[in-house]
Amino acid sequence: GAVVSQHPSWVICKSGTSVKIECRSLDFQATTMFWYRQFPKQSLMLMATSNEGSKATYEQGVEKDKFLINHASLTLSTLTVTSAHPEDSSFYICSARGGLVGFTGELFFGEGSRLTVL
Amino acid sequence: GDSVTQMEGPVTLSEEAFLTINCTYTATGYPSLFWYVQYPGEGLQLLLKATKADDKGSNKGFEATYRKETTSFHLEKGSVQVSDSAVYFCALSGDQGAQKLVFGQGTRLTINP
């Protein structure tokens, strides 16, 4: 199957700093990418949907100024957590879908990035 | 809104045991249903899916049947292996080709030799 890679897989930062997480589709062009957040023992919560070359669509309750998403190319989307605080500590997961017609549910997921804010 | 509820884990079984992981959903319309699996250190992978009532999805010995009358999509395998140890997520997507997936909380499965 297609490969999606996230970087870094684990990051620790001080409160007040910003952290950028990259999501790359390695062997296909991802017209749409999704960013999820997962708390311990809880399900993945969709944060936003990004389409290449356009602004991301955020889910209700997600602060767009806090979680900046950029999808500037067909193989790269970035999530920047701005002015991070301990409550932002979480596991962030991206997924990507190629530009095929229709939705088959076959999203390809990255390995996830664990953010710890001290 | 749409939601998915999975049986709580962790689940620990011996090799060759029968596996059932329960999943029920709440949704308007006619969602598609999925099971994803996450092996240690890897991203989620699609395990199987069903797009309409009474469909059975199957892959790698796993099966799940879309039961609209009970709003369920339970995952089963007749004889599990150590290599099946992973976290399993049930998910749905709304009808009309919606792209968004709604996930259950995941069930960690450990198979002992």
Side-chain angles (χ1 to χ4, degrees):
Chain A
V3 178
V4 174
S5 179
Q6 282 184 241
H7 177 80
S9 57
W10 187 36
V11 57
I12 301 174
C13 70
K14 292 182 179 180
S15 185
T17 61
S18 294
V19 174
K20 180 184 287 187
I21 300 170
E22 294 185 345
C23 178
R24 293 181 184 275
S25 57
L26 300 185
D27 52 3
F28 70 104
Q29 294 184 326
T31 53
T32 304
M33 286 186 170
F34 304 87
W35 285 95
Y36 298 84
R37 183 173 180 178
Q38 185 181 25
F39 293 100
K41 299 183 180 181
Q42 295 188 29
S43 63
L44 283 73
M45 302 298 296
L46 180 64
M47 298 174 65
T49 302
S50 72
N51 293 295
E52 185 266 338
S54 61
K55 290 184 178 181
T57 302
Y58 289 81
E59 295 299 301
Q60 190 172 10
V62 178
E63 300 176 59
K64 59 181 68 176
D65 294 331
K66 174 76 168 174
F67 299 99
L68 301 179
I69 291 172
N70 182 280
H71 192 167
S73 79
L74 285 171
T75 59
L76 173 66
S77 176
T78 60
L79 166 67
T80 301
V81 183
T82 62
S83 186
H85 288 91
E87 58 266 29
D88 299 324
S89 299
S90 193
F91 196 56
Y92 294 89
I93 301 171
C94 74
S95 67
R97 185 176 76 89
L100 300 175
V101 176
F103 174 62
T104 66
E106 293 189 47
L107 296 176
F108 300 100
F109 285 79
E111 314 93 319
S113 299
R114 183 167 301 283
L115 170 63
T116 301
V117 184
L118 302 176
Chain B
D2 296 349
S3 66
V4 176
T5 302
Q6 289 180 236
M7 66 184 288
E8 287 193 25
V11 174
T12 302
L13 296 172
S14 297
E15 205 165 20
E16 299 184 2
F18 184 86
L19 169 71
T20 299
I21 300 178
N22 289 336
C23 172
T24 57
Y25 67 91
T26 302
T28 55
Y30 303 94
S32 294
L33 302 174
F34 309 87
W35 276 100
Y36 281 84
V37 58
Q38 185 176 30
Y39 298 106
E42 300 182 17
L44 277 73
Q45 303 172 26
L46 179 65
L47 179 61
L48 54 84
K49 66 180 181 182
T51 57
K52 62 182 187 296
D54 299 325
D55 268 2
K56 177 186 284 187
S58 61
N59 186 25
K60 298 181 180 180
F62 291 89
E63 293 184 340
T65 301
Y66 189 144
R67 301 288 188 198
K68 188 169 177 61
E69 64 276 14
T70 55
T71 62
S72 65
F73 194 55
H74 304 322
L75 182 69
E76 297 182 335
K77 186 173 185 180
S79 177
V80 292
Q81 305 300 314
V82 173
S83 57
D84 294 326
S85 298
V87 181
Y88 292 81
F89 292 90
C90 186
L92 68 81
S93 71
D95 57 353
Q96 299 180 5
Q99 297 185 41
K100 300 177 183 178
L101 285 173
V102 176
F103 287 89
Q105 73 270 37
T107 302
R108 181 174 297 279
L109 173 66
T110 301
I111 306 301
N112 293 321

